[in-house]
Amino acid sequence: MTGPLHGLTFIELAGIGPGPFCGMMLADMGATVIRVDRPGGNPHSAIGHSVLFRNRQNLALDLKKPEGIETVLKLCETADGIFEGFRPGVTERLGIGPEQCMARNPKLVYGRMTGWGQTGPLAQAAGHDMNYISLSGALHAMGRAGEKPAIPLNLVGDFGGGGMMLAFGLVCAALEAQRSGEGQVVDTSMVEGSAALMAMFYGLKSQGLFSDQRGTHMLDSGAHFYEVYETADSKYVSIGSIEPQFYAELCRIAELPADDFGHQMNPPKWPEMKQKLAAVIKQKSRDEWCELMEGTDVCFAPVLSLEEAPSHPHNVARGSFVNVSGSIQPAPTPRFSRSNAGEVRAATTAGADSLDVLRSAGFEESTIESLIASGAVKQD
């Protein structure tokens, strides 16, 4: 597999959620990512993670055995980076913390993924996506007027503020190591990552343009021209006609009377205009609105389910989704003009690539046989 990260090698200490997402992003871009799994795999990580585990090599190691730890350290000698998502101090106690790994390879980049960060009073506390985006201010800002905050799946903490930030940090540190000859630790906090995703809104707040009142602003369902509406067939469409020329196009196509909709940027009138626009949209089916608005400058799209999205003509034309061994999944992104990574490979089971990984890393056959005999290495 080629790709813009071809030639870089990262070791992924098996985890769930943001760590695998980081590994997927790196592997999708052509990096060699060796996922170090526990023998037999983790039953929890199998739930919903098959897409996140794609494009990897899988090495099953027993990290409770000294031989397993030594194998990881040996792999670090020729790798560009390693990343983990345990609580602070766990890998140090195992013997594969930053100091131990970087002693084998001074240029090694060591990525750490946690919710709270490696330091601070909450560093050792348990938590999940929702807790981290609560602390960053992101969760409080999401939701409709008069309602409690709306949970945005685990997109903002685990994936956007976590796995994506870790992948970015690893690549940044790997590039710097090529210049300096020195590795470093990348401390990725989902609190801070999700706060970074809120940068524009913190900027608006500092200018007095964004308050703590959910559902009252232009981009959070407060405005009638930036909203999701139900159609006659109980489906939904999204309308985002922010700019005046786009709003004018919405009014023209939907035949909205100027007396009711003539003053777009009048927030006190937004709730009333929203009710009236909802009544208009409810008169036609989603497909009928698509015929009228899709492809125009209204800034319109049908709200598609996970079942529907891969079949939309635009997504089909661009190959936005791929079929991998019968699994429909998002295609690698972003695209490059000459170094796309090629065909997506399905996730493999724990230990499926153990022998290949060790041989590629230069382990002698006698050493591999010894590791298997000790139980430190498993081959599926």
Side-chain angles (χ1 to χ4, degrees), residues 10 17 28 127 141 199 295 300 332 351:
F10 295 95
D28 281 355
F300 165 95

Side-chain angles (χ1 to χ4, degrees), residues 168-183:
F168 175 64
L170 285 168
V171 173
C172 288
L175 287 173
E176 195 280 337
Q178 291 178 357
R179 296 192 298 269
S180 68
E182 298 181 24

Side-chain angles (χ1 to χ4, degrees), residues 267-334:
K269 290 286 188 179
W270 284 353
E272 178 185 346
M273 286 190 278
K274 185 183 294 189
Q275 288 184 344
K276 291 180 178 179
L277 183 53
V280 171
I281 300 299
K282 187 71 172 172
Q283 293 173 6
K284 299 182 188 297
S285 69
R286 189 182 72 182
D287 286 350
E288 288 174 321
W289 285 118
C290 284
E291 288 183 17
L292 289 170
M293 293 186 177
E294 197 165 21
T296 72
D297 279 353
V298 168
C299 301
F300 165 95
V303 178
L304 303 179
S305 68
L306 272 64
E307 182 70 26
E308 295 173 308
S311 300
H312 188 277
H314 180 82
N315 293 332
V316 171
R318 282 185 54 83
S320 302
F321 293 83
V322 293
N323 187 325
V324 182
S325 301
S327 169
I328 304 299
Q329 51 192 263
T333 189

Side-chain angles (χ1 to χ4, degrees), residues 74 358-359 361-371:
K74 180 69 174 176
L358 296 178
R359 287 168 179 154
F363 283 72
E364 296 182 356
E365 288 298 324
S366 59
T367 302
I368 295 174
E369 292 174 4
S370 176
L371 288 169

Side-chain angles (χ1 to χ4, degrees), residues 249-266:
E249 187 72 349
L250 168 67
C251 292
R252 183 186 69 80
I253 293 178
E255 299 180 346
L256 305 180
D259 289 346
D260 292 332
F261 294 93
H263 300 285
Q264 178 188 2
M265 295 299 178
N266 185 0

Side-chain angles (χ1 to χ4, degrees), residues 324-373:
V324 182
S325 301
S327 169
I328 304 299
Q329 51 192 263
T333 189
R335 309 284 182 85
F336 298 84
S337 63
R338 59 176 178 80
S339 56
N340 286 311
E343 185 177 355
V344 176
R345 292 179 286 112
T348 56
T349 57
D353 310 298
S354 291
L355 298 184
D356 290 339
V357 169
L358 296 178
R359 287 168 179 154
S360 296
F363 283 72
E364 296 182 356
E365 288 298 324
S366 59
T367 302
I368 295 174
E369 292 174 4
S370 176
L371 288 169
I372 293 175

